[in-house]
Amino acid sequence: MDNRWWKLSLAVLVLLASTYAEASFSHHMKDFIKAVKQIEDEDPGSDPAAVLKMVRRAAGLNDAFIQYFLPNAEASVSELPANLSEYFRKAVHHRVLEDAKEEGVALTPDGTTVALGPVLLGIEAGFLSKSKGRARGLYQLTLARDLGLSLRHDPSGANRFGPDGCWDNLTSPQVFTLSDRPTFLTTAQVNGGMDGIILGMEVSTNSGELPKLSSLLSEYYGHQLDSRGMDTAPRLISRRRRENFRALLLPPLLAKQAVKSVELQQRLAGHPKMEVKAKRQLTAVMKEGLKDFVHMYMDCPPFLPRCMWGAEPYRGTPTNLSLPLSHLFIHHTHTPGEPCLTFEQCSADMRSMQRFHQEDRGWDDIGYSFVAGADGYIYEGRGWHWQGAHTYGQNSRGYGVSFIGDYQTRLPSQHSMGLVRDQLVSCAVGGGRLVSSYILQGHRDVVSTTCPGDAFYEEIKGWEHFGEVRKR
């Protein structure tokens, strides 16, 4: 083989190796963490901030706004291998395409999707914190800039936030498609912003040895629940994203940070300082718009949409509900009889119930409006707008919410009960889907059945708004 052919063969081998290495990584958080660990293993002595800086450089997260708070990623930083650099660019660089494909997001093991950019920026701000519990630029880098952009461009209040979406494949996800018209602040961006604030605050308060970035992400996103579910789960895990965020942040603070972000962007763009009147108007817009944000992402529980658990299409034409409804009916599944503790198991249970309802019962869809897993999430059944098939004779009057498991002699987890009793109800009332004077009942209150189980029924009799009516 002459020298020319030898060089060509070598080039092909290098290209194939690079292509294979890139293809071996998906947009699953586990693969992202694996790629981060490769960087750490190459230089075991590197500190987390240096690793984050390398990833930020590869991803192109280095505009003037970011450099106002964080060091220039182009300065004095090691080069990553070409295949890793390309992977991080694709994995972290956020954008929404015209066909509603959202890039720069990752599927987490608990079934939610997060934008990686704000997660990494928040953690880096936390690692660079000069004083305990105070990370410079934490809110602006993670959530406030995008929040300010969203509220400024849609002050009317229509379609300010969201939507969520679904992946092409849950084992090796590559393409994430939004379920509706995109806004300036998608649900994945909100999830990433929340995580960035939570993790950034956590590392900024940690006075001990700094954890490896891969370890921090693995513990936060990859924690496996034991048989007691969320009731005994640690505080710092992604399944507790919303409760941790609520505990950390007051809405007026977030509104203030959003205003500051708008001011900073204008200043960096060379615009004159905002006049007092304009700033007051902007502040009013932020405060008013934040009400929708608080309702959607702080009052409401975390939902997993139908497409994420693999729902089959509705058979026929759904009947739309006339909102607001007057009742909330509580069920248990009985079969499956055990609580589900993972996204995979809860999704399988949802598919099993839908098959039973469609194939054996002959219904158009899974009967319940919503289903509570023991994994920290509410699974969308027929949802807010489609009439269910959960409580005979009452389906047009109320939502049917079921808990996965048999609760004849035991109770669901305290966490899953709280998701429904406190957050789902608050979400329904606050969103105009359930009247504030709603009546809560067990399935057995209106139909001859043991549902939702003796033990659970005794429990819900103590819930607010509980009231009986004559059985059919």
Side-chain angles (χ1 to χ4, degrees):
M1 182 182 291
D2 62 30
N3 193 46
R4 182 184 58 180
W5 286 108
W6 182 85
K7 288 181 178 179
L8 180 59
S9 299
L10 181 61
V12 171
L13 287 172
V14 169
L15 178 62
L16 288 173
S18 175
T19 302
Y20 173 77
E22 184 182 333
S24 66
F25 291 113
S26 72
H27 291 283
H28 197 289
M29 183 62 75
K30 290 187 289 188
D31 281 334
F32 180 79
I33 294 171
K34 192 187 304 180
V36 169
K37 194 169 188 311
Q38 281 194 21
I39 303 176
E40 296 170 340
D41 290 344
E42 285 293 321
D43 184 6
S46 61
D47 65 83
V51 173
L52 283 158
K53 198 175 180 183
M54 283 188 274
V55 174
R56 184 156 57 87
R57 179 183 182 180
L61 293 177
N62 199 41
D63 60 28
F65 186 91
I66 292 173
Q67 285 189 47
Y68 185 84
F69 301 105
L70 300 177
N72 183 357
E74 296 293 334
S76 303
V77 67
S78 303
E79 287 280 357
L80 292 176
N83 64 309
L84 271 182
S85 183
E86 178 65 9
Y87 170 74
F88 284 124
R89 184 188 68 79
K90 291 183 176 180
V92 180
H93 178 69
H94 185 269
R95 60 178 180 165
V96 178
L97 306 179
E98 289 186 1
D99 58 358
K101 302 290 191 297
E102 185 174 10
E103 297 182 342
V105 297
L107 172 64
T108 70
D110 63 20
T112 56
T113 299
V114 301
L116 288 166
V119 177
L120 301 177
L121 293 174
I123 295 173
E124 187 174 354
F127 277 129
L128 296 176
S129 173
K130 296 293 190 292
S131 57
K132 190 174 181 180
R134 293 180 63 86
R136 181 172 179 266
L138 178 61
Y139 300 109
Q140 291 97 325
L141 290 166
T142 53
L143 191 55
R145 175 165 65 165
D146 291 332
L147 180 62
L149 181 67
S150 177
L151 294 177
R152 281 193 83 196
H153 280 80
D154 188 14
S156 66
N159 300 316
R160 282 176 173 150
F161 310 117
D164 206 337
C166 282
W167 290 91
D168 58 332
N169 185 293
L170 297 181
T171 304
S172 181
Q174 300 292 343
V175 179
F176 184 71
T177 305
L178 296 169
S179 59
D180 203 347
R181 185 175 70 85
T183 67
F184 286 97
L185 188 60
T186 66
T187 294
Q189 287 176 279
V190 174
N191 288 339
M194 288 181 179
D195 289 347
I197 290 172
I198 293 164
L199 292 172
M201 188 65 74
E202 184 70 18
V203 297
S204 73
T205 59
N206 185 1
S207 56
E209 184 179 350
L210 295 179
K212 291 285 189 182
L213 176 60
S214 60
S215 299
L216 179 68
L217 294 174
S218 294
E219 291 172 7
Y220 184 74
Y221 290 108
H223 177 79
Q224 295 184 350
L225 301 175
D226 63 24
S227 60
R228 295 165 292 180
M230 291 293 292
D231 287 354
T232 56
R235 174 185 61 85
L236 195 69
I237 59 173
S238 58
R239 298 172 192 272
R240 295 194 187 277
R241 173 184 296 118
R242 294 197 181 195
E243 59 191 86
N244 282 329
F245 185 72
R246 282 195 303 270
L248 275 177
L249 196 68
L250 296 174
L253 173 61
L254 188 54
K256 182 179 179 181
Q257 297 295 341
V259 171
K260 284 187 174 182
S261 296
V262 173
E263 288 183 296
L264 176 59
Q265 286 176 289
Q266 290 189 345
R267 189 161 74 249
L268 292 173
H271 298 301
K273 185 177 180 181
M274 191 180 296
E275 295 181 358
V276 174
K277 182 179 179 181
K279 185 174 179 179
R280 285 176 179 168
Q281 291 174 338
L282 178 62
T283 300
V285 167
M286 296 298 168
K287 287 182 177 179
E288 184 62 28
L290 207 60
K291 293 177 183 177
D292 292 338
F293 178 89
V294 168
H295 168 74
M296 190 167 179
Y297 295 110
M298 298 175 74
D299 292 341
C300 291
F303 294 99
L304 287 178
R306 291 170 59 89
C307 55
M308 282 301 294
W309 57 263
E312 290 293 321
Y314 191 100
R315 296 180 178 179
T317 303
T319 299
N320 287 325
L321 292 164
S322 180
L323 305 181
L325 304 184
S326 59
H327 286 68
L328 185 71
F329 301 103
I330 302 296
H331 300 249
H332 72 164
T333 63
H334 187 268
T335 304
E338 292 298 320
C340 60
L341 299 168
T342 65
F343 166 61
E344 291 79 8
Q345 185 57 56
C346 292
S347 296
D349 288 346
M350 292 293 292
R351 293 192 297 271
S352 175
M353 287 186 286
Q354 187 187 42
R355 281 194 301 272
F356 175 71
H357 289 173
Q358 288 184 323
E359 303 298 335
D360 293 52
R361 293 282 177 87
W363 299 346
D364 294 332
D365 196 2
I366 188 171
Y368 306 119
S369 307
F370 298 98
V371 179
D375 63 336
Y377 292 98
I378 300 291
Y379 287 75
E380 181 187 25
R382 299 206 190 185
W384 294 120
H385 300 289
W386 293 353
Q387 181 174 305
H390 46 79
T391 312
Y392 182 76
Q394 307 293 322
N395 293 312
S396 64
R397 302 177 65 200
Y399 294 112
V401 181
S402 192
F403 289 71
I404 293 180
D406 181 350
Y407 298 108
Q408 181 68 15
T409 59
R410 60 178 174 175
L411 292 177
S413 69
Q414 292 298 318
H415 189 273
S416 61
M417 288 193 292
L419 281 181
V420 173
R421 180 189 61 232
D422 304 325
Q423 291 179 255
L424 182 65
V425 166
S426 174
C427 184
V429 173
R433 305 174 185 106
L434 195 64
V435 298
S436 58
S437 58
Y438 71 93
I439 297 172
L440 182 143
Q441 295 172 294
H443 189 191
R444 65 172 63 183
D445 286 323
V446 291
V447 176
S448 181
T449 177
T450 60
C451 181
D454 289 349
F456 193 19
Y457 182 69
E458 287 302 311
E459 164 70 21
I460 68 169
K461 284 166 69 175
W463 290 10
E464 190 176 5
H465 291 265
F466 178 83
E468 293 188 11
V469 296
R470 185 166 55 89
K471 294 181 183 179
R472 293 180 60 88

